[in-house]
Every structure is written in C-alpha cells, then in structure tokens.
Amino acid sequence: MSGNVPASKSYPPSEETVAHAHIDAAKYDEMYAASISDPETFWRNEAGRIDWIKPFTTVKDVDFSHGNVSINWYSDGTLNVAANCVDRHVETRGDQTAIIWEPDSPDEEALHITYKDLHTSVCKMANVLKDLGVSKGDRVIIYMPMIPEAAYAMLACARIGAIHSIVFAGFSPDALSARVNGSEAKVVITADEAPRGGRNTPLKTNADQALLHCSDKVKCLVVKRTGGQTTWTEGRDFDYNALAAEASADCPPEEMNAEDPLFILYTSGSTGQPKGVVHTTGGYIVYAAMTHEITFDYHDGDIFWCTADVGWVTGHSYIVYGPLANGATTVMFEGVPTWPDASRFWQVCDKHQVTQFYTAPTAIRALMGKGNAFVEGCDLSSLRLLGTVGEPINPEAWNWYNDVIGKGKCPIVDTWWQTETGGHLMTPLPGAHAMKPGSAMKPFFGIEPVVLEPTTGEIIEGNDVEGVLCIAKSWPGQMRTVWGDHERFEQTYFSDYKGYYFTGDGCKRDADGDYWITGRVDDVINVSGHRMGTAEVESALVAHGKVAEAAVVGYPHDIKGQGIYCYVTLMGGEEPSEELRKELRTWVRSEIGPIASPDLIQWAPGLPKTRSGKIMRRILRKIAENDFGALGDTSTLADPSVVDDLIENRMNKS
Ligand code: 6R9
C-alpha cells in the first residue's frame, strides 16, 4: 500500500516537561537502540524493578514460528506479584495511601487505603479464599463493582497463586456463566449490587442466574456494597464481610514461577466467542511497572488516576498492578463521567489533586459535547499529564482535551496497546517526543513494529507508508496463550504473517516515521473503547427464535467512535416491526450485556453473499457508513439485487 500520510501538526514537549521527565529525547534514542540490539541485557536490567524470590538466569526464550509458538521470560525465576505490589512497600511507605477510592455518589465519603491497610485486607481475603478451598493454580472469577474489594480480590489471588479472571460487571449472566465454565473456576467473587451513575445493578442476582448453568461445586463469595436484598443459597454462598472479620491477617505469599499464569482476561476476537487471554507472573509485572512509570512520568508523591474499569486490561495494568508495583497512589472510581453531572471527572481531579489522568476518547467526546461550563468550576492545576487509550482520538477531541483540560501545559500520551500486550506498545513519551493529535507516535522500549503489505505479508520499509501492523520480537508483557486452546493462540496471532505477532490493527507510518493506528483490519469493532467481535453479536441475534440470519458491522458514531449496525433476516412468516426491533435490542443486551446493544437494526430480506455463501462484509460496511458510492466489485455476488434493497432501506442516512 502506498502512503501519502501527512506529517501533521506537531507539539514538542515543553522545557518544564522535559526537565521533569525520567526520559528525554537523547535517553530514549539510546535506550531504544539498546533494547533492540541487546534485549537480553536490557530486560535483565529492567527486571531489577521487581523483587525476586529466586533470581532468574535466563532472560528470554521465545519462538514465534507457527506450529511452535512459545514465549517465556525470566522462566527460572520465582516471585510473588502481591508481595511486589503490597508487602515490599509496607516497610518503606506503610502509611502512604495506596488506593484512593471515590464512590459513585459524591455524597458518600471517599476512602484512603494505606499500604498497611491494603496488606491486611489482601491477606484476609487470601485466607478467606484458602478456606473456601482455593489453592495455587485454581481459577477465581471476579464479578465486582469498582470497589476496593475488587483490588483486594485480584491481589489475594496473586498472593496464593490462584489465577483470577475478571468479568466486567456490565456483562450479562450468560456471559458470566460462559467464563466460569470456560475457566473451570472454583469460586465467583461478587457483591450484592453495583452502584453506577445513581443506579444499582443487581450483581448477586446476575451471579445466581449464571450459576444455574455452572457446576454445583462452584462457590460464591459475596461482598456487601449496598446492603441490598439478595437471595442466599446455603452451602454455596458465603458472606465475605463475616468471614473477613474472623480471618487472620497473616498469609505468607506463595512462591510463583515467573511463567505461572497470573490472570486470564476474556476478550473479543474476529471469530467465535471471546478467548481467554493468559498473562503470566514475572514478565507481566516488569512490563506493567515499567510502562506505568515511564509513559506517565510517574514520580513519588503523584496521584495517578486511570478511569478504566478493572474488568478491562487497562484497569488491570494501570489501576492495580503497574501503580501498586511502583508504590504509587492510585485512584479507583466507582462512578461514571456524567453523573450527577458532566463535571464529575473534573471534580474528582480537583478533590484528590490528581497529577496524571488517563481516560478513553469516547469519554472525552461525550464530555466535550456537554460544554466547558462543567470544567470551569474545577481547579485542574494539579494535572501534569493526560493520557488516552482504547481507540484512535480525533483531532477535535484531542484539541479540547489539550486546551480545556490540560490548559495547553500537559503532555498527552496516546497509548496504543491491547489486552494481549499487557502494557503500552506505542506512545509518545512525555519528555522525549513531540505529540501529534491522533498519533501513537513511537514504539516503547523493546518493541519492534513492522508495517506489512496486507496480502503479500512483505515488510514495507521507509516512511510515508501504510499497511497492517505486526510486532517482530517478543516483550515481557506479551500474552502467552489462549486459556485451554494454544492452537487458537497460534492461529489468531501467528498464522497470517509468519514469524510475527499480528496485532489485528492497520497503521500508517508518516513522513517523520511516526505511527498512526488506523483501526482494526479484522471483524472486531470498537464501541466506546470496548472491543467486540461482530461474530458475538451475530450469534446472539441468530439465537433469537425469529431471526434467520444476521450480519453485524461497525459504523462511524460521533460519541462512541463506532456504533453497532445489524442486518437482520427474519424467519419466514415473521413480520418486521418497531416492537421486534426493541425486542432484539433487549435480547442482545441480555445475551451479552448493555455495551453490545445494537444501535441500528436494518431488516434485510437477503444478505450479499458470494456464490460460495460467504457474506461480503465489505459491502455491508460501506452501506452502514453511508458510503455506497464506493462499493467496489459486486460482480462475484450470487444475487447483486439484494444490494439495491439494502442501500434503499439503509438506516444511517447521515
Ligand atoms: C488497551 C485496550 C485493543 C484495540 C487495539 C486498537 C484499539 C487501543 C488505541 C487503539 C488507536 C489507541 N486501540 N488503544 N487504537 N489508538 N491509543 O484498549 O485493549 O480492549 O484489547 O483493545 O483497541 O484497535 O487493537 P483492548
């Protein structure tokens, strides 16, 4: 593919930012070169951030060749992640706040949890889990609101060597049971209810429904959040607060091998149901700690706030593991940006004197749309750095973030990475790089991006080029396998472009050699920064009795980035109606969760298919984008006339 990529407006870092930063331009160049030419030495040194029980001797042992993929870092070393995130800070900074918890409602009091308190709570939770029969290697599902107990649960698992798998509290009972069964979990940790935006989600009731479809050996540990009514199944359900009150605060950390799994996180792919991304212990924590410190220019005394939910990888790496490994103060927010009103984020920044603020472009766009009055009443002078994650940021949103929130003084790190990568792979570093609105700019240390020609897989050298984005060499935070399905891991990431990790994203390298992520090149869509497989929504739709066939694509959406556009063919005899549209929407919400709610549903008498029966999504995407002037070649369609009907009745005429 040829480029023509303009090297757009560039904002060099201010002198103040450079003076403060851990890494300036010269240091980046020197360290980056060293990380590529001698990764063994580089990553051996970086592993010094972490306390090892038994030091490793081999740094890396990696094979990316299809059929043989195996990724190992520090593999003869042992350590414990909870000891690194909690215990080692108790002596040096025991009275420092580890977690500032800000509740959903501004009328409820925030909590300041010190490293000492954190240690006690994590040990108690760990002992409660042990008493429920959880031991090293067992899986524990965490289905929780954004409350401190969610972090305690993660760290308690890490402490005893159990593998946690967090299911976002917005997911449905069906999604939850699929993950409990997929990971063969022993325990589900949940809460009575999850308050968000002034409303309570009945988490325990959802868990009850999910557990009807799971082995009756699975236990349910219930944390009290609201005190709301829940039904109780004796022998299966356990009251966390009662057990923790009795539990010992002494729980020695388990000695874990660097390659023992730390967590599984289910994420959407282009085909089939979500897959369990597996991250392991040593490499993940080294990478999370390093990227947290360097990308965000974290220094002692800073107050770091990542607004993600712990149900996503961003919450794992940059609310809990990265910041706590660095002995930081991390903010955990239970609420939403727009409740009680659109000043909530900025009120919290003001109240807790936040220094680094990290959020998603979709939130920025939504808040920008509410007007500046919501920002003006808040003192944002504590902010030193801003960040974004999850999707490309459009220049309007970037400019607003820069001008209105950062007052033109805060560098913005546009961090590109994935559930699979454990931590940032590309981002400008605040003191080292200029920023360009919408560009992820430069690879992080040790990351060797390659731009490939999509069909031939050949490397495209030089600048001002575009293609698919692969990574040539491993880094410590890389996922190791798909839980229970190593073949799927190889197939998904190492088969299309041999010898490389395939990211699923397209990218441009501009005339200056800076990187721009152009979005997914597969059937994954990105709705409000949440990743979703079109196949998942399709399979939810066809599971409805009145639906014969469905095809789902993304389309541009002002706030969400992408919206969900569904083409639905009904069973013979079924009549389309507004009511049925509503019914399908509710159906998909209940099958997957509210984040998968279809935005537009078009009744399709037929779908455009090739003669071999493949749905031509390219055409459906174009129609959904209202760009049917450029449909391309339709001559291979079995029945080209279906396209005219779809264009005529398209739902997005804007
Ligand atoms: C961390 C996270 C990963 C996908 C990724 C890409 C998109 C993430 C981005 C970005 C452009 C950025 N993405 N960050 N696109 N600029 N700064 O979001 O993980 O939920 O697995 O999503 O999100 O398409 O492939 P995950």
Side-chain angles (χ1 to χ4, degrees):
M1 269 196 232
S2 81
N4 193 22
V5 187
S8 84
K9 184 163 179 186
S10 161
Y11 296 75
S14 70
E15 272 174 35
E16 211 181 333
T17 302
V18 176
H20 189 273
H22 293 296
I23 309 278
D24 63 14
K27 187 138 188 231
Y28 171 84
D29 290 346
E30 179 205 326
M31 275 176 71
Y32 183 74
S35 73
I36 300 298
S37 66
D38 185 3
E40 305 258 342
T41 305
F42 184 87
W43 290 114
R44 181 185 302 279
N45 291 339
E46 288 301 331
R49 299 173 171 275
I50 291 305
D51 288 355
W52 298 82
I53 298 172
K54 181 171 140 271
F56 56 88
T57 58
T58 25
V59 175
K60 66 184 274 214
D61 174 12
V62 174
D63 189 342
F64 270 11
S65 47
H66 185 58
N68 233 345
V69 178
S70 117
I71 301 165
N72 301 281
W73 285 87
Y74 312 121
S75 60
D76 58 351
T78 64
L79 71 161
N80 184 282
V81 163
N84 273 282
C85 290
V86 188
D87 303 35
R88 66 168 170 165
H89 305 308
V90 171
E91 275 185 24
T92 51
R93 52 178 90 227
D95 294 322
Q96 182 202 305
T97 301
I99 299 176
I100 299 178
W101 178 67
E102 176 65 31
D104 185 46
S105 165
D107 299 333
E108 197 177 336
E109 217 166 299
L111 296 176
H112 289 77
I113 299 150
T114 65
Y115 273 97
K116 260 192 215 148
D117 300 338
L118 182 63
H119 185 261
T120 306
S121 298
V122 169
C123 288
K124 283 182 171 250
M125 176 83 84
N127 280 327
V128 170
L129 289 173
K130 275 191 185 168
D131 288 346
L132 292 182
V134 178
S135 54
K136 188 169 173 171
D138 288 341
R139 274 77 60 204
V140 171
I141 296 278
I142 300 176
Y143 183 62
M144 301 262 273
M146 281 287 288
I147 53 178
E149 287 83 354
Y152 304 161
M154 295 165 78
L155 293 163
C157 287
R159 191 167 196 88
I160 63 176
I163 305 166
H164 63 69
S165 182
I166 307 191
V167 177
F168 174 55
F171 278 134
S172 67
D174 279 353
L176 176 59
S177 62
R179 286 151 177 79
V180 175
N181 295 333
S183 64
E184 297 174 90
K186 263 198 175 166
V187 171
V188 175
I189 310 179
T190 190
D192 45 13
E193 296 179 304
R196 257 185 116 232
R199 281 201 302 242
N200 292 342
T201 304
L203 282 192
K204 171 61 164 58
T205 307
N206 286 354
D208 287 341
Q209 277 178 39
L211 288 170
L212 292 175
H213 307 284
C214 302
S215 152
D216 58 13
K217 294 203 183 76
V218 181
K219 293 176 179 157
C220 187
L221 183 62
V222 187
V223 176
K224 178 176 161 195
R225 168 61 183 105
T226 63
Q229 281 284 319
T230 55
T231 49
W232 209 255
T233 304
E234 268 325 307
R236 185 200 70 184
D237 296 345
F238 295 84
D239 177 341
Y240 170 73
N241 300 75
L243 295 173
E246 300 296 316
S248 154
D250 178 31
C251 176
E254 192 77 34
E255 179 171 356
M256 303 300 290
N257 182 273
E259 283 301 339
D260 284 335
L262 177 64
F263 65 83
I264 304 169
L265 185 55
Y266 282 83
T267 193
S268 298
S270 49
T271 54
Q273 291 304 311
K275 48 186 175 294
V277 167
V278 176
H279 281 288
T280 58
T281 301
Y284 171 81
I285 198 67
V286 168
Y287 202 70
M290 181 183 184
T291 48
H292 170 259
E293 181 187 58
I294 289 177
T295 303
F296 300 115
D297 193 35
Y298 179 80
H299 293 258
D300 259 356
D302 286 349
I303 310 287
F304 179 81
W305 183 16
C306 162
T307 70
D309 190 284
V310 290
W312 311 117
V313 73
T314 307
H316 284 65
S317 299
Y318 301 114
I319 295 176
V320 178
Y321 289 119
L324 296 179
N326 289 334
T329 300
T330 180
V331 178
M332 190 173 184
F333 175 47
E334 190 183 35
V336 299
T338 48
W339 186 83
D341 66 35
S343 69
R344 187 74 171 117
F345 269 2
W346 321 125
Q347 298 279 0
V348 175
C349 285
D350 184 345
K351 176 173 170 188
H352 298 300
Q353 293 291 291
V354 169
T355 45
Q356 289 99 337
F357 177 76
Y358 186 39
T359 197
T362 185
I364 299 168
R365 285 191 297 268
L367 295 172
M368 176 175 76
K370 305 281 180 189
N372 296 357
F374 289 105
V375 188
E376 279 153 11
C378 306
D379 176 7
L380 296 181
S381 59
S382 60
L383 287 175
R384 215 180 65 232
L385 176 142
L386 303 173
T388 70
V389 57
E391 48 174 326
I393 183 164
N394 48 312
E396 297 77 13
W398 195 96
N399 287 327
W400 185 80
Y401 201 31
N402 185 46
D403 299 342
V404 179
I405 305 305
K407 320 289 182 205
K409 286 193 297 214
C410 299
I412 300 179
V413 291
D414 179 345
T415 61
W416 169 78
W417 60 296
Q418 311 176 299
T419 305
E420 293 87 339
T421 71
H424 309 141
L425 291 200
M426 288 210 230
T427 174
L429 295 186
H433 302 130
M435 304 167 298
K436 295 176 187 173
S439 169
M441 298 299 291
K442 297 289 186 197
F444 195 76
F445 301 115
I447 304 303
E448 229 182 303
V450 287
V451 180
L452 303 184
E453 211 289 322
T455 43
T456 65
E458 303 219 336
I459 292 202
I460 308 177
E461 306 276 3
N463 291 339
D464 198 8
V465 295
E466 180 171 357
V468 295
L469 176 59
C470 289
I471 309 294
K473 304 258 167 54
S474 184
W475 63 98
Q478 183 171 25
M479 77 181 279
R480 302 300 198 257
T481 190
V482 169
W483 181 257
D485 197 348
H486 196 67
E487 209 178 304
R488 190 170 174 201
F489 175 60
E490 296 206 357
Q491 194 58 34
T492 309
Y493 304 103
F494 298 93
S495 68
D496 290 352
Y497 303 101
K498 299 274 185 298
Y500 299 109
Y501 166 74
F502 173 43
T503 65
D505 281 315
C507 97
K508 297 173 181 179
R509 188 165 49 222
D510 72 15
D512 301 329
D514 298 324
Y515 289 88
W516 300 69
I517 306 301
T518 52
R520 302 290 302 197
V521 295
D522 53 12
D523 289 317
V524 170
I525 55 179
N526 193 324
V527 182
S528 299
H530 300 318
R531 221 170 121 161
M532 210 165 310
T534 51
E536 275 171 79
V537 185
E538 286 163 7
S539 74
L541 282 166
V542 296
H544 187 283
K546 293 179 183 164
V547 175
E549 214 174 9
V552 172
V553 297
Y555 74 101
H557 187 287
D558 282 351
I559 303 287
K560 301 181 184 182
Q562 280 189 301
I564 303 178
Y565 194 118
C566 309
Y567 297 88
V568 171
T569 307
L570 294 174
M571 293 285 193
E574 297 296 342
E575 284 301 315
S577 68
E578 258 329 292
E579 240 143 74
L580 184 52
R581 256 204 194 102
K582 263 193 217 140
E583 188 178 318
L584 291 182
R585 228 173 246 138
T586 312
W587 172 261
V588 174
R589 289 168 71 95
S590 73
E591 289 276 297
I592 306 175
I595 57 168
S597 187
D599 293 282
L600 298 172
I601 298 175
Q602 173 170 0
W603 306 119
L607 294 171
K609 290 189 189 161
T610 61
R611 289 187 189 91
S612 62
K614 259 193 151 166
I615 295 175
M616 291 193 65
R617 292 166 175 286
R618 175 174 56 81
I619 292 176
L620 294 175
R621 264 186 229 122
K622 288 283 177 197
I623 298 174
E625 287 164 10
N626 202 21
D627 180 22
F628 48 89
L631 282 188
D633 184 11
T634 55
S635 63
T636 54
L637 286 177
D639 176 8
S641 73
V642 300
V643 173
D644 298 331
D645 177 88
L646 293 179
I647 292 177
E648 171 87 28
N649 295 303
R650 69 194 184 279
M651 303 292 293
N652 174 26
K653 294 194 172 152
S654 60

